[in-house]
Amino acid sequence: MLDYLYCFDKNYNLQAFTSIFSIAEHSEKKANYYILHNEPNSFKPLSKELIKHPKIGEVEIIKFDKNDVDFPNLEKTHVSEATYFRLYLETYIPKSVNFLIYIDPDVICLNSPEEVLVKEIDNLKKSNFAIAAHTENIDKNELVSMYLRLGMKNERYFNAGVMIVNFDFWSSENYTKLLVKKMNTIFEDIVFWDQDVMNAQFDGDYLELDENLNFTVPIDIELYEQKIQPHKLNEIVFLHFAGKFKPWSVRGLFHPAAEFYQSNYRKLTSKKYHIVNNWKVLALKDLSKSIFTLKLLSLKHPLSFIYYVAEYLFRQNKKGVL
């Protein structure tokens, strides 16, 4: 049975709920899910819904309680301390687990994951690496700057949104201790949070993961349409909405890939859209622009879209949050 790992806080409860559901919907066998969460009770009602799915085994919510840790580069960013939770695997994950498939909550499953994951796990088992991850396609000049910033020697930098972890190897090599030490050493130089920490520590020593297990959605729609041909959609297993672009933001919802997220969300709730925006003013501007340009007519449910954006804005306003 496969074992998945998610790390998030209450702000990503619905996103993770939708992500896990999408995996279960495309799975042929049951899988277990481990969740590191700083407020487990906030996710328990959703976990009770998840375990009703025939392809979901156990859902174990584990409280992350290292509240005294100062995590780098979180002020005024779109991420929370939850992104660093996975550095502490040895502290929280049961020793009975051999391999973990880490998934970011902004990942949606498009096709059956088991066959390709089992193959990748077998490859990792035969290797001398603790993790398998997919290398980012980064401009050479940017890479040089990144290597200098993180003190790296290799020429690869991976995206940590989807990883396979050889947990036996990870534990035997004390990677949690090594990663925490590395985080404190490069504290002031960290830009991309725990992903920087892991890349600085592993420094190219990882197994290359199939791109279809971590296919990052290009923000540019033209580039996206070039990369996502009809046949490609039958190959992509995990679609990753990396960075600031999210399919639940008002602007992000107009990206054609956003429908993969929203369609899964609709299966779980009575609502047509899940809408959350970090900035109220920006959300209002994007809504107005979509109305005046008639762009909202490209959506499946334009009137519902207006309703749920307005509902979101009003709800935030009631709480006094701008």
Side-chain angles (χ1 to χ4, degrees), residues 5 15 42 54 117 132 166 258:
L5 169 68
Q15 290 88 336
S42 71
L117 284 174
N166 184 334

Side-chain angles (χ1 to χ4, degrees), residues 74-259:
L74 291 178
E75 190 175 352
K76 296 181 180 179
T77 66
H78 68 284
V79 302
S80 72
E81 67 174 24
T83 189
Y84 288 98
F85 290 178
R86 54 184 161 172
L87 301 183
Y88 296 84
L89 295 185
E90 289 164 54
T91 308
Y92 296 101
I93 300 301
K95 301 302 179 185
S96 57
V97 174
N98 301 121
F99 289 87
L100 277 169
I101 303 149
Y102 172 82
I103 306 284
D104 268 352
D106 57 0
V107 170
I108 290 294
C109 184
L110 301 187
N111 290 290
S112 178
E114 285 109 337
E115 184 177 349
V116 64
L117 284 174
V118 168
K119 179 182 176 181
E120 294 289 347
I121 287 173
D122 190 51
N123 291 337
L124 184 58
K125 190 184 301 184
K126 295 173 183 176
S127 75
N128 292 316
F129 300 116
I131 64 169
H134 181 61
T135 302
E136 291 262 35
N137 184 16
I138 302 175
D139 177 79
K140 188 173 182 179
N141 291 330
E142 186 180 345
L143 275 177
V144 171
S145 174
M146 189 176 290
Y147 299 149
L148 291 173
R149 175 170 58 83
L150 299 176
M152 296 170 63
K153 297 177 181 178
N154 89 100
E155 297 184 352
R156 296 197 301 165
Y157 181 96
F158 65 84
N159 180 287
V162 177
M163 300 188 304
I164 300 177
V165 179
N166 184 334
F167 189 53
D168 289 334
F169 187 72
W170 176 292
S171 300
S172 66
E173 296 296 316
N174 297 310
Y175 269 111
T176 287
K177 182 178 180 179
L178 293 172
L179 287 163
V180 172
K181 182 180 179 181
K182 178 65 71 173
M183 178 181 72
N184 291 325
T185 300
I186 63 172
F187 196 96
E188 299 298 330
D189 297 309
I190 291 173
V191 175
F192 298 111
W193 309 285
D194 64 315
Q195 182 170 277
D196 270 358
V197 177
M198 287 188 283
N199 272 282
Q201 176 60 48
F202 290 110
D203 201 359
D205 288 334
Y206 59 90
L207 185 68
E208 186 64 32
L209 192 66
D210 189 324
E211 180 190 27
N212 290 321
L213 286 171
N214 188 3
F215 191 95
T216 302
V217 178
I219 296 176
D220 183 84
I221 294 179
E222 186 175 337
L223 178 59
Y224 166 78
E225 290 176 343
Q226 288 174 2
K227 292 186 71 176
I228 285 256
Q229 301 298 328
H231 70 277
K232 186 70 174 175
L233 286 175
N234 295 324
E235 300 171 6
I236 295 172
V237 176
F238 296 128
L239 191 68
H240 186 193
F241 296 91
K244 293 182 180 180
F245 161 69
K246 302 299 179 188
W248 49 82
S249 68
V250 177
R251 182 177 299 180
L253 203 143
F254 285 96
H255 193 289
E259 184 59 23

Side-chain angles (χ1 to χ4, degrees), residues 4-6 8 12-27 33 43 50 56 102-110 161-162 237-241 248 260-261 264-265 268:
Y4 292 93
L5 169 68
Y6 281 78
F8 57 93
Y12 267 72
N13 279 349
L14 282 176
Q15 290 88 336
F17 181 51
T18 306
S19 177
I20 293 171
F21 173 80
S22 73
I23 295 176
E25 283 290 274
H26 289 92
S27 295
Y33 294 84
F43 192 71
L50 285 173
I56 293 180
Y102 172 82
I103 306 284
D104 268 352
D106 57 0
V107 170
I108 290 294
C109 184
L110 301 187
V162 177
V237 176
F238 296 128
L239 191 68
H240 186 193
F241 296 91
W248 49 82
F260 291 116
Y261 173 83
N264 277 281
Y265 178 75
L268 293 165

Side-chain angles (χ1 to χ4, degrees), residues 261-293:
Y261 173 83
Q262 296 292 345
S263 62
N264 277 281
Y265 178 75
R266 284 186 206 112
K267 294 176 184 178
L268 293 165
T269 73
S270 59
K271 294 187 175 183
K272 294 290 192 297
Y273 292 109
H274 177 211
I275 295 174
V276 181
N277 225 89
N278 288 338
W279 304 103
K280 176 183 174 182
V281 174
L282 181 60
L284 192 56
K285 284 182 178 178
D286 289 336
L287 172 62
S288 300
K289 184 178 179 180
S290 71
I291 293 173
F292 287 115
T293 62

